[in-house]
Amino acid sequence: MRTTSLLLALTLCLLFSLAPPPDLSKGLVAYFTFNECDARDDSGQGSAGQLIGNVRCWCGVEDDGLLFDGQQAHVLFSGTINDYFTTSDFTVSFYLKSEAALVFPQSVISKREACDDYHLLDIALDTRLQELTTDLQETENKLYRELGPALPTGSWLHYALVREGVYARTYINGKLMKTARRCSGIDLSNEAPFAIGNSPCVQTGRMRRFKGVIDELRVYDRALTNDEIQWLYEETPVENAQMDCVS
C-alpha cells in the first residue's frame, strides 16, 4: 500500500511538471514593460502613460524600469486601461523596489477621484506598518477589508491584486497573502485616471509620492488563479533582479 501511494505521488508530480504553462496573455489588456524608458503599452490594446516630473530610466527586474524621485514624479495613464475597474473581475500585477522609508504612506497605484471613501482603488507602501496597504471600496461600508499584505525582506518584490466576484486577494512573490470577501460585489467606477504615485491623498498631505522603481506593470480583465499568479512570478523571480544599477 505504501509503495502504491508513493508511486501515485511520483506520477502526479511528473504529470504536473509536464503540464504546459498557462497562457498569461489571455485577458491581458495593458502591459507596460518600461523597457523603452517610457510608458507605452506593449500589449497593443490602446493605453498609454504620461511621465510627469523627474521619472528616470533605471534597471528593473527585467531590463529597464521607471525610477520615481518621491517628489513630483508620477505617471498618468489614458486609454482602455481605465475601463476595467468597475464591477467586473480584474488582476493588477507589478514589481516594486522601494528607495525610502517614510513616516507617511507612499502612493504606488491608484484610481481614485478624491481622498475620501468612495469608489476607489488605492495601493500604498507603508513602511511604518510594513505592508502594502490595499484599499478597494465603493463606500465607507462597502469594501474589502484587511487586504494589505506584509512586506517581505529583501529589495525587489512582486505584488498582485485579484478581484474575483465577491472575493479579493493579494499576493507577494507569487504566494497568496490575504483574502477578503463580501456578501455582494462593489462598484469601483470613477473618472480618475489609473496612476502611479498620484493618489489624491498626496495633495491632502495624507500620503507622499512613491520613491523607488516600478517595473512590469500588467492589468488583466479577468481574475488570475493562484497557479497563474505563481507562473507569472516564476517568469521573473526577484532573486534574478539586479540589486544595483550602474550606468
Side-chain angles (χ1 to χ4, degrees), residues 22-40:
D23 181 5
L24 294 176
S25 66
K26 179 183 177 183
L28 184 63
V29 294
Y31 180 27
F32 301 89
T33 65
F34 304 125
N35 288 343
E36 301 299 324
C37 302
D38 57 17
R40 69 185 65 184

Side-chain angles (χ1 to χ4, degrees), residues 1 10 22 39 49 55 102 114 118 120 147 151 165 179-180 200 224 237-238:
M1 179 66 72
L10 291 172
V55 183
L102 304 179
Y118 299 96
L120 64 98
L147 268 176
L151 295 175
T179 300
L224 268 63
V238 295

Side-chain angles (χ1 to χ4, degrees), residues 96-101 106 125 127 155-156 210-213:
L96 174 150
K97 180 186 178 186
S98 173
E99 298 288 347
Q106 300 174 55
L125 175 67
T127 54
S155 181
W156 280 99
F210 173 67
K211 184 174 183 179
V213 188

Side-chain angles (χ1 to χ4, degrees), residues 56-114:
R56 299 169 57 195
C57 189
W58 205 248
C59 57
V61 70
E62 176 69 27
D63 206 346
D64 294 312
L66 295 184
L67 175 65
F68 297 81
D69 66 359
Q71 299 298 316
Q72 297 301 318
H74 60 284
V75 180
L76 301 180
F77 293 90
S78 60
T80 57
I81 189 174
N82 292 298
D83 298 339
Y84 302 101
F85 301 94
T86 55
T87 59
S88 58
D89 296 347
F90 67 81
T91 300
V92 175
S93 162
F94 59 88
Y95 288 82
L96 174 150
K97 180 186 178 186
S98 173
E99 298 288 347
L102 304 179
V103 173
F104 290 92
Q106 300 174 55
S107 172
V108 180
I109 296 289
S110 66
K111 192 177 188 305
R112 178 178 190 172
E113 289 185 3

Side-chain angles (χ1 to χ4, degrees), residues 221-235:
D221 67 355
R222 66 183 183 91
L224 268 63
T225 66
N226 291 349
D227 287 344
E228 287 176 317
I229 295 291
Q230 182 67 44
W231 274 101
L232 183 62
Y233 170 69
E234 291 298 339
E235 284 189 350

Side-chain angles (χ1 to χ4, degrees), residues 1-235:
M1 179 66 72
R2 184 174 180 180
T3 301
T4 303
S5 299
L6 181 59
L7 288 174
L8 177 59
L10 291 172
T11 301
L12 290 174
C13 288
L14 179 61
L15 289 174
F16 180 79
S17 65
L18 295 177
D23 181 5
L24 294 176
S25 66
K26 179 183 177 183
L28 184 63
V29 294
Y31 180 27
F32 301 89
T33 65
F34 304 125
N35 288 343
E36 301 299 324
C37 302
D38 57 17
R40 69 185 65 184
D41 182 4
D42 295 286
S43 75
Q45 298 298 309
S47 298
Q50 178 186 7
L51 276 57
I52 300 171
N54 185 26
V55 183
R56 299 169 57 195
C57 189
W58 205 248
C59 57
V61 70
E62 176 69 27
D63 206 346
D64 294 312
L66 295 184
L67 175 65
F68 297 81
D69 66 359
Q71 299 298 316
Q72 297 301 318
H74 60 284
V75 180
L76 301 180
F77 293 90
S78 60
T80 57
I81 189 174
N82 292 298
D83 298 339
Y84 302 101
F85 301 94
T86 55
T87 59
S88 58
D89 296 347
F90 67 81
T91 300
V92 175
S93 162
F94 59 88
Y95 288 82
L96 174 150
K97 180 186 178 186
S98 173
E99 298 288 347
L102 304 179
V103 173
F104 290 92
Q106 300 174 55
S107 172
V108 180
I109 296 289
S110 66
K111 192 177 188 305
R112 178 178 190 172
E113 289 185 3
C115 192
D116 57 20
D117 297 322
Y118 299 96
H119 300 278
L120 64 98
L121 162 65
D122 213 337
I123 302 166
L125 175 67
D126 193 325
T127 54
R128 183 177 61 86
L129 297 179
Q130 283 296 295
E131 72 174 31
L132 272 168
T133 303
T134 303
D135 294 324
L136 202 63
Q137 65 185 76
E138 180 177 341
T139 70
E140 58 184 347
N141 297 314
K142 293 183 67 176
L143 70 159
Y144 295 102
R145 299 182 185 278
E146 298 181 0
L147 268 176
L151 295 175
T153 57
S155 181
W156 280 99
L157 65 87
H158 175 256
Y159 169 96
L161 167 65
V162 175
R163 200 271 280 277
E164 184 174 19
V166 299
Y167 290 94
R169 303 186 294 270
T170 51
Y171 300 78
I172 293 291
N173 295 347
K175 304 298 184 184
L176 176 63
M177 302 298 289
K178 294 287 187 73
T179 300
R181 181 186 184 278
R182 278 193 49 79
C183 56
S184 62
I186 63 173
D187 185 358
L188 302 174
S189 301
N190 63 58
E191 298 301 318
F194 190 90
I196 298 175
N198 197 52
S199 169
C201 292
V202 171
Q203 282 70 45
T204 66
R206 287 172 52 183
M207 288 188 188
R208 299 292 185 264
R209 297 192 192 278
F210 173 67
K211 184 174 183 179
V213 188
I214 300 287
D215 199 12
E216 295 289 313
L217 171 63
R218 301 176 188 237
V219 175
Y220 291 83
D221 67 355
R222 66 183 183 91
L224 268 63
T225 66
N226 291 349
D227 287 344
E228 287 176 317
I229 295 291
Q230 182 67 44
W231 274 101
L232 183 62
Y233 170 69
E234 291 298 339
E235 284 189 350

